[in-house]
Amino acid sequence: MNEMTGTPIAHAPGFIANETPRIVTARFDYEDSHTLERYEATDGYQALKKALKKTPEEVHDEVRDATLLGRGGAGFPAGVKWGFCPPGVWPRYLVVNGDESEPGTYKDRLLMELDPHQLIEGCLIACYAVGLSQCFLYIRGEMAVAQERVAQALNDAYGAGYVGKNILGSEFSVDIVLHWGAGAYVVGEETALIESLEGNRGMPRLKPPYFPASIGLYGQPTIVNNVETLANLPWIVQHGADAFTAIGTESSPGTRMVAVSGHVKRPGVYEIVNGTTTFRDLLYGNDMCGGIRDDNQLKAFVPGGGSAPWFTPDQLDLPFEASQVGPQGSMLGSGAIMVMDETTDIPAAALTLTKFYAHESCGKCVPCREGGTWLEQILRRVVTGRGTARDLELLIEVGETICPGEFPHAAVPDKGIEAVPFPYRMTTICFVGPSAFAPIHSALTLFREEFEAKVAGNETRTMIEVAVDV
Amino acid sequence: MTFFTDENLALAEEIIGRYPKPRSAMIPLLHLAQEQEGWVTDDAMTQIGELVGTTSAEVLGTCSFYEMFKRHPVGKYVINICTTMSCALMGAGDLMKHAESRLNVKSGSTTPDGLFTLEGAECQAACTEAPCLQVNYRHQYRVTTDQFDELIDELALSDHDVPDHGVLSQIRQHIPEDRSVGAVPPEDVKVAPVWFSEDGGS
């Protein structure tokens, strides 16, 4: 065990332990956390045994009662999502979304590398509860180590009788197939993930009608769950929904993993209490990030992955609670916080995100395919001092072809700007297009003077060297 | 068309057998082809089409969508420097400039000795350890310019454990025959699984 609370552990770079109850990271302290031996020695596969003594419906009820919110980004309750499979349509499948790629997001990779059996047990519980007869565990292509750890864990779990035919001597049988991607951000969107798993270009499908729970993989009812969501299931089944809802708040119970990166003293992945922990606790708490680097002032932060509208110090006291963050103009998304201190060149910072989404557009929807590229090119000329005042208007005009109407943003009390609540309207199938506009819109709304200085030629510094196109 | 070695052909058939529809094996087989050759050749795509029951054009369609599949030879080591926000805030741009000068190639190019391909990449899910890079999809964290130089020296001398480009997971999934439930085409399944009572289902 690592006894030093708050110190990164050598074998788990990125993860920092704190005083929060640990539901999904409990085994991260052990160097052999990924092995079957360690898993079995620490309550591993006990929840599966417990679940198999109940009916599938009872297990489903337990998960529904726990109000386990999906941890992938949308935050929809998993137990409710499971209930959307139409009765009498068979087979049903489970697709595990391990294609973690949202900028700033970094938790599912740790869960796969450091505790793969916990994820496998979560998959088994979901399959049992919903009657899913085959599971496909889709891991992002660029995560070679996660693929190795999960492959080894699956081989060991098959060998020990936890996965496959007649699991633990019961009638419950399910194969878990390890599948992996090949580098495409958009595949993290659940319908694009299914397209990719069918061997196609990873382009999203229109919803409706293609809600995976009714028309998913091969046109069959399919549950798509995020890695962290599934990793919570063994604990919930083992300790009960009441124990889970005793942590956090009624509408956001349990814990969640968040990654804090950028200009903080101790960037890291933390497991925090959902619903009550505030951004201030996280960024300034001594057992968490410990403040801004060099004791600088905080300028802005992205609260929920690269797609999320930005916050400033005025929003620091908001908790990790969707019902409070939404009205203030952003979202909790995938649990990724990117922090910018006072030295940050805001237009250049926005460009590092817009270029990402422009690059990752799959090309299916014209407003995203064309608009994303336009946004990137216009912003790039502004950032490099070749822009004009007209370009600042043009950025908004192009953005409005992707997201018509008011776009969500935070309040700026000093400037008399009021918050516009989340979400937004969109002309695209998925969120890649709007996400190219989100950083530009936030940066321009909250820090317009920095853009004006760039186009007036008064501002020539480039604090962030924005790397070449990828 | 024969592209795969006998060993890899057996592996390809094992992989196809895990899916209810063979086409689902397309991406895993493209990875296998890349593992064998270092990049995806036309012959590989033709044979993959035959194996999963589609045309080579369809295989090319899928292949060309995904960043990791290279349709031309690349270096033994593909170095991807993350350039997205968290890494950019922590100096990825400077690291990229240094890398271009150290390797004497522009991002997107391969060194004349065929050892290194340098690429800018998007977020690699190691944002707290910025700036980060990957060598053949294995992470290096908080990379300074000195550490970058050391890394290049080690790779050039093969003093490291990074497999050649194309090799992804070095551990393969194997489902033992006596434990396998087996994949069934969806149209052949009409009823709920035996453990799941339709009445009790949701």
Side-chain angles (χ1 to χ4, degrees):
Chain A
M1 289 281 287
N2 174 43
E3 300 295 341
M4 294 186 297
T5 300
T7 307
I9 309 163
H11 68 280
F15 178 71
I16 300 179
N18 62 51
E19 301 299 329
T20 299
R22 296 188 38 202
I23 291 179
V24 289
T25 66
R27 290 180 198 85
F28 282 17
D29 293 340
Y30 299 101
E31 272 189 51
D32 59 352
S33 62
H34 57 287
T35 63
L36 180 59
E37 293 69 30
R38 175 59 66 192
Y39 196 64
E40 286 180 324
T42 49
D43 270 355
Y45 292 113
Q46 294 305 313
L48 173 65
K49 288 176 188 163
K50 198 169 166 184
L52 291 178
K53 290 187 187 124
K54 299 180 176 187
T55 66
E57 194 179 14
E58 285 167 342
V59 177
H60 188 161
D61 287 345
E62 189 90 58
V63 174
R64 194 187 282 114
D65 293 345
T67 321
L68 171 62
L69 305 182
R71 302 292 199 249
F76 195 79
V80 178
K81 192 178 196 180
W82 290 3
F84 289 158
C85 290
V89 184
W90 305 99
R92 298 172 174 174
Y93 298 111
L94 175 63
V95 174
V96 183
N97 189 342
D99 193 54
E100 180 174 64
S101 339
E102 177 72 16
T105 312
Y106 168 30
K107 61 192 178 66
D108 296 337
R109 182 164 73 81
L110 287 183
L111 287 168
M112 292 188 283
E113 288 180 3
L114 298 176
D115 203 346
H117 285 285
Q118 177 175 254
L119 171 61
I120 292 168
E121 190 174 10
C123 295
L124 295 168
I125 291 167
C127 289
Y128 180 71
V130 195
L132 313 171
S133 54
Q134 201 173 1
C135 169
F136 300 93
L137 209 167
Y138 191 117
I139 302 181
R140 182 174 169 188
E142 292 94 334
M143 295 181 179
V145 175
Q147 291 157 22
E148 288 173 352
R149 289 280 173 87
V150 173
Q152 185 64 54
L154 279 171
N155 290 346
D156 293 345
Y158 264 101
Y162 294 121
V163 187
K165 202 189 288 179
N166 299 115
I167 291 168
L168 298 173
S170 72
E171 283 191 320
F172 176 46
S173 299
V174 67
D175 274 333
I176 300 180
V177 174
L178 173 58
H179 189 91
W180 58 107
Y185 163 77
V186 66
V187 167
E189 197 280 336
E190 61 182 6
T191 59
L193 189 75
I194 288 168
E195 280 289 329
S196 181
L197 186 51
E198 291 182 2
N200 302 326
R201 296 166 76 83
M203 293 178 164
R205 299 170 174 174
L206 198 59
K207 298 189 279 190
Y210 292 103
F211 287 107
S214 44
I215 310 174
L217 183 64
Y218 313 127
Q220 295 298 124
T222 302
I223 297 299
V224 183
N225 278 151
N226 167 262
V227 166
E228 186 188 349
T229 311
L230 291 161
N232 272 279
L233 294 178
W235 197 96
I236 290 171
V237 169
Q238 183 77 345
H239 298 88
D242 290 344
F244 190 77
T245 54
I247 302 168
T249 57
E250 195 184 341
S251 50
S252 299
T255 63
R256 69 177 295 169
M257 290 177 77
V258 296
V260 192
S261 56
H263 299 155
V264 287
K265 285 183 182 164
R266 290 197 307 158
V269 180
Y270 299 85
E271 183 167 0
I272 62 168
V273 174
N274 220 356
T276 57
T277 307
T278 65
F279 289 105
R280 188 184 301 281
D281 295 337
L282 184 61
L283 299 191
Y284 289 91
N286 285 331
D287 64 336
M288 299 203 200
C289 296
I292 308 303
R293 69 167 183 190
D294 304 331
D295 290 322
N296 283 349
Q297 294 297 308
L298 172 65
K299 193 168 189 178
F301 60 101
V302 188
S307 307
W310 298 5
F311 279 163
T312 66
D314 289 316
Q315 286 80 35
L316 271 176
D317 292 311
L318 285 172
F320 276 79
E321 169 66 62
S323 65
Q324 293 194 46
V325 168
Q328 292 306 314
S330 192
M331 61 168 185
L332 294 171
S334 53
I337 294 93
M338 292 179 282
V339 178
M340 292 165 264
D341 74 5
E342 60 188 280
T343 68
T344 308
D345 175 355
I346 290 287
L351 178 58
T352 67
L353 285 174
T354 293
K355 77 160 179 64
F356 173 92
Y357 295 104
H359 176 75
E360 296 297 339
S361 175
C362 77
K364 185 165 184 170
C365 307
V366 175
C368 168
R369 187 187 70 206
E370 301 302 317
T373 308
W374 273 62
L375 288 173
E376 183 195 343
Q377 290 180 356
I378 300 165
L379 182 57
R380 194 177 284 278
R381 73 179 178 233
V382 169
V383 166
T384 52
R386 294 176 292 120
T388 65
R390 171 76 185 116
D391 283 338
L392 305 188
E393 310 312 317
L394 194 55
L395 283 170
I396 299 296
E397 284 166 25
V398 174
E400 284 176 346
T401 66
I402 306 171
C403 295
E406 279 201 300
F407 196 85
H409 63 76
V412 190
D414 290 351
K415 297 175 190 167
I417 298 174
E418 286 179 20
V420 171
F422 207 77
Y424 39 72
R425 297 169 63 208
M426 53 203 262
T427 58
T428 53
I429 291 175
C430 86
F431 295 96
V432 173
S435 301
F437 183 45
I440 292 179
H441 186 273
S442 283
L444 251 174
T445 306
L446 307 175
F447 302 97
R448 191 173 180 91
E449 64 284 358
E450 294 203 22
F451 288 84
E452 286 169 348
K454 293 256 188 212
V455 296
N458 302 334
E459 161 61 274
T460 51
R461 64 174 188 160
T462 301
M463 300 303 293
I464 303 172
E465 185 62 50
V466 181
V468 293
D469 293 327
V470 298
Chain B
M1 178 57 63
T2 308
F3 164 78
F4 284 118
T5 62
D6 289 349
E7 191 189 347
N8 281 343
L9 187 59
L11 208 49
E13 279 161 358
E14 184 189 333
I15 291 169
I16 292 168
R18 286 180 205 150
Y19 295 93
K21 295 196 173 185
R23 189 179 167 124
S24 281
M26 185 107 77
I27 290 175
L29 296 195
L30 284 163
H31 277 301
L32 188 63
Q34 186 152 280
E35 177 171 336
Q36 184 175 311
E37 197 69 24
W39 58 290
V40 182
T41 63
D42 288 351
D43 287 352
M45 287 188 281
T46 303
Q47 192 176 16
I48 289 169
E50 288 167 4
L51 286 167
V52 306
T54 190
T55 63
S56 55
E58 287 278 324
V59 181
L60 173 61
T62 296
C63 177
S64 60
F65 186 81
Y66 298 91
E67 201 95 21
M68 290 172 73
F69 295 133
K70 310 299 182 193
R71 285 178 298 127
H72 49 81
V74 291
K76 185 176 174 187
Y77 304 111
V78 174
I79 297 177
N80 282 300
I81 295 180
C82 177
T83 63
T84 313
M85 187 180 216
S86 302
C87 285
L89 288 172
M90 300 304 287
D94 293 332
L95 181 62
M96 175 59 90
K97 273 190 174 169
H98 174 81
E100 286 183 331
S101 121
R102 171 68 170 81
L103 294 173
N104 201 23
V105 290
K106 281 286 180 195
S107 171
S109 323
T110 301
T111 55
D113 59 8
L115 265 186
F116 300 104
T117 296
L118 180 65
E119 293 180 347
E122 299 291 14
C123 187
Q124 298 172 345
C127 317
T128 69
E129 310 307 301
C132 68
L133 60 79
Q134 289 191 317
V135 183
N136 294 347
Y137 306 104
R138 282 156 167 79
H139 285 97
Q140 299 282 323
Y141 300 125
R142 303 193 188 201
V143 183
T144 63
T145 51
D146 285 348
Q147 282 166 343
F148 183 86
D149 290 345
E150 279 169 39
L151 175 70
I152 295 301
D153 291 341
E154 284 170 15
L155 290 169
L157 295 169
S158 293
D159 179 20
H160 63 82
D161 54 6
V162 177
D164 291 2
H165 178 258
V167 179
L168 214 48
S169 176
Q170 295 180 100
I171 298 168
R172 295 187 199 283
Q173 179 180 19
H174 283 296
I175 301 179
E177 239 171 72
D178 61 327
R179 297 282 319 131
S180 169
V181 184
V184 184
E187 55 272 24
D188 293 351
V189 181
K190 304 278 185 238
V191 294
V194 286
W195 80 86
F196 195 86
S197 142
E198 180 84 88
D199 302 334
S202 38

